[in-house]
Amino acid sequence: MRISTYGEHAENAARALNGLIRDDLIPADEGAVDQLLHCREAVVDALRQRLYDLGQDDWYPPPDHLPARTPKPTLAGLDEKLAGLVDNIAFALPSLRLDERRPPTELLTATSDDPTVEAWRVAGTELLTASHALSTAGEQPWRTDSAAGWWVLRDVAVAVEAVLVLDERLEEVGLLANHEHPEYAMGLAEKRMVLSQAARVAAWHATSAIADEATPRLQQARSRVVEPVSLVAAPEDLAAAQQRLAGLLRPMLTSDLFGDEPQISADSARQVTASQLYLCRAFAKAADSSPKTSMLVAFFQQRTEVQESLQPQITYLVDVSVREPDMRRFWQQGELTTAAARMEDRGVPIRLQPRQMADLAKATHEVTHNLGKSLRRELLRASTNLLNGHPRHSEGPVRVGRRSRLETTLTDLVNMPAPNEPVARFSNPLQRGALQQALNLTPTSSSRAPTPFPAARAAKYDAPAF
């Protein structure tokens, strides 16, 4: 199952709004007009929700509460007030009365034969879905990282300006006469001036497009059976199963103080190392299949190289007393390896969303980190249960000492960094750019046209002549 991202929904909404601005058609049928107005309300609500999520407010204004009249802003310090002005303009848009509102699901699910109404319906559906993706994403860096926050604010500013242009046309024919109109200090031309400048400033500072990859957080299908292992039925289950294995491999000791209980057995170390080597190769191939996840290929390849070096070094490890501390490690690793091999045999590719692939990388890091830490602690424990039984030792198995090749390899595995996501990502929002360009070429009808001529200054007596 493929889940659309915020960026895809935003592009679809921009295409629909651009079509509405370009065509400039209003239906005459009463039922179509009613559906149009409700779809418009869904558009406005979606943009307001996005501004609420983008800010740090702890309450959402109730539907019957609209912002009071605000003082007219001055140019001084305007750049620091742009985000707040965009928020005020969005919440000052005309709204249906409470007794006239209907649930969005009642109107957005039914397609319309009228192209204008259908475009409004698509815009409302896509904007609501886009805002939902941001609201329910597992991680929301756009709420703390200004570079990502500007990216979202730019989309909102352009969409709100498009609604203002379309509202002007609806008001000309009286379709917004029964809506609530909050008093606001700025006129239409001034609002568009603020919104277009906000979009322009946002484009300067929006150096991270990570919001475009946001998807709604899915319910983690950890397994059909909670204990003793996490089952893998689809590629989406791999991260949860790896997290489960990482927890089972976590050292029982919280420090390097060596206790009397074995940390891991030789057979368990060999099985997990060989299986994770196979999985890292498969995960690197899966990450390389999409440009949005290709930055994680190097992460999995680095794990592959270290485990390729580790695998022959633990071939001759033997247990002093044959006892596995936790058999669930065998079972969970076996479930992961079998599931991955089954997908490969059946031709089922491991295709994951960027967020899901990042979760899989983090879980894989935890597995290899805990494997290296447990095995290293067991080898260096005073009463270790693991010895090197290589045939070259004529006197029998010997201990693995510090600064040996095996201990160095395990140290490298433990110290490998966790996966990092790049701060800035390239994105090419064609439809949103086209919508912004269309707005730049769409004038505001006004009875008082602006003048390009500056006001004349009164010359002083001693002013120098040009």
Side-chain angles (χ1 to χ4, degrees):
M1 179 182 66
R2 187 181 182 282
I3 303 174
S4 299
T5 62
Y6 162 80
E8 293 169 336
H9 290 301
E11 286 287 277
N12 294 335
R15 183 186 295 108
L17 292 173
N18 200 2
L20 288 169
I21 292 175
R22 182 182 61 250
D23 296 337
D24 193 12
L25 298 174
I26 298 178
D29 181 70
E30 183 177 351
V33 170
D34 181 69
Q35 185 178 1
L36 182 153
L37 294 178
H38 281 84
C39 291
R40 175 201 166 275
E41 197 72 19
V43 168
V44 174
D45 286 342
L47 295 173
R48 290 172 175 171
Q49 176 191 346
R50 201 175 307 175
L51 285 166
Y52 164 74
D53 289 331
L54 186 62
Q56 302 298 326
D57 301 326
D58 56 358
W59 66 282
Y60 186 86
D64 58 345
H65 174 77
L66 294 172
R69 182 179 178 86
T70 56
K72 197 167 185 176
T74 60
L75 289 179
L78 184 63
D79 56 332
E80 299 178 359
K81 305 172 185 175
L82 284 175
L85 290 174
V86 172
D87 184 83
N88 291 338
I89 293 172
F91 277 90
L93 290 171
S95 299
L96 282 171
R97 302 181 186 277
L98 289 178
D99 55 353
E100 297 178 356
R101 292 193 176 195
R102 281 184 279 173
T105 53
E106 182 179 332
L107 293 160
L108 296 180
T109 53
T111 59
S112 175
D113 297 331
D114 187 282
T116 302
V117 177
E118 180 63 16
W120 274 108
R121 187 191 70 83
V122 171
T125 303
E126 296 294 342
L127 285 173
L128 278 175
T129 311
S131 296
H132 173 72
L134 293 181
S135 300
T136 60
E139 296 183 12
Q140 302 178 5
W142 46 88
R143 299 196 64 177
T144 55
D145 179 19
S146 60
W150 279 114
W151 186 273
V152 177
L153 185 68
R154 182 188 63 175
D155 292 347
V156 176
V158 174
V160 172
E161 185 181 0
V163 173
L164 286 176
V165 172
L166 296 171
D167 279 359
E168 182 186 20
R169 300 172 183 176
L170 296 177
E171 287 178 346
E172 288 179 355
V173 294
L175 294 184
L176 300 182
N178 294 327
H179 283 56
E180 294 181 341
H181 292 72
E183 293 185 3
Y184 199 67
M186 291 189 291
L188 176 60
E190 294 167 313
K191 292 177 182 177
R192 290 194 60 186
M193 188 186 306
V194 170
L195 292 171
S196 61
Q197 179 63 12
R200 186 181 182 188
V201 172
W204 296 342
H205 301 287
T207 57
S208 174
I210 193 172
D212 270 7
E213 300 174 5
T215 56
R217 181 175 56 243
L218 298 176
Q219 292 291 335
Q220 286 286 354
R222 283 191 168 268
S223 67
R224 304 332 183 245
V225 180
V226 177
E227 293 288 350
V229 297
S230 177
L231 300 183
V232 180
E236 293 79 12
D237 301 327
L238 288 169
Q242 284 280 76
Q243 289 173 356
R244 173 74 172 164
L245 177 61
L248 296 173
L249 288 170
R250 185 175 295 112
M252 290 177 284
L253 300 174
T254 58
S255 67
D256 285 326
L257 296 176
F258 303 143
D260 295 330
E261 294 295 326
Q263 298 286 317
I264 191 171
S265 68
D267 288 340
S268 180
R270 281 189 286 267
Q271 184 215 21
V272 174
T273 301
S275 299
Q276 288 297 314
L277 177 59
Y278 166 75
L279 291 176
C280 283
R281 289 170 178 162
F283 297 161
K285 181 180 178 181
D288 195 36
S289 63
S290 172
K292 295 183 178 180
T293 58
S294 59
M295 75 287 296
L296 293 173
V297 173
F299 166 83
F300 290 115
Q301 289 177 342
Q302 291 170 359
R303 262 69 183 173
T304 301
E305 293 175 1
V306 176
Q307 291 178 104
E308 285 176 343
S309 174
L310 174 64
Q311 189 177 20
Q313 299 179 49
I314 61 175
T315 303
Y316 295 103
L317 287 183
V318 295
D319 297 289
V320 176
S321 60
V322 181
R323 186 181 63 158
E324 168 56 40
D326 193 344
M327 287 300 299
R328 292 176 298 176
R329 299 171 179 173
F330 281 99
W331 302 334
Q332 183 62 75
Q333 184 60 79
E335 171 65 19
L336 274 161
T337 309
T338 303
R342 182 174 62 247
M343 295 176 194
E344 183 179 3
D345 293 340
R346 296 179 179 178
V348 179
I350 301 178
R351 292 178 180 171
L352 299 174
Q353 297 291 329
R355 173 52 50 196
Q356 295 171 326
M357 184 62 74
D359 291 341
L360 180 59
K362 293 177 182 178
T364 302
H365 167 73
E366 293 178 12
V367 171
T368 56
H369 178 82
N370 291 345
L371 169 65
K373 184 177 289 187
S374 294
L375 184 53
R376 182 178 181 276
R377 288 185 179 181
E378 179 57 36
L379 290 171
L380 300 181
R381 189 165 61 92
S383 55
T384 180
N385 191 52
L386 292 180
L387 299 175
N388 184 359
H390 197 284
R392 69 169 179 264
H393 301 298
S394 57
E395 298 180 357
V398 298
R399 284 182 59 94
V400 177
R402 288 184 179 273
R403 289 184 291 277
S404 63
R405 182 172 173 234
L406 176 54
E407 194 265 344
T408 302
T409 303
L410 290 174
T411 303
D412 292 340
L413 185 62
V414 171
N415 293 332
M416 294 193 76
N420 292 323
E421 297 183 20
V423 176
R425 302 189 183 200
F426 175 78
S427 183
N428 190 21
L430 295 177
Q431 296 300 329
R432 282 168 280 180
L435 175 59
Q436 188 171 0
Q437 184 65 23
L439 291 171
N440 293 339
L441 300 176
T442 305
T444 299
S445 60
S446 174
S447 58
R448 182 174 58 86
T451 175
F453 308 111
R457 292 186 177 89
K460 294 183 179 180
Y461 177 76
D462 57 346
F466 289 97

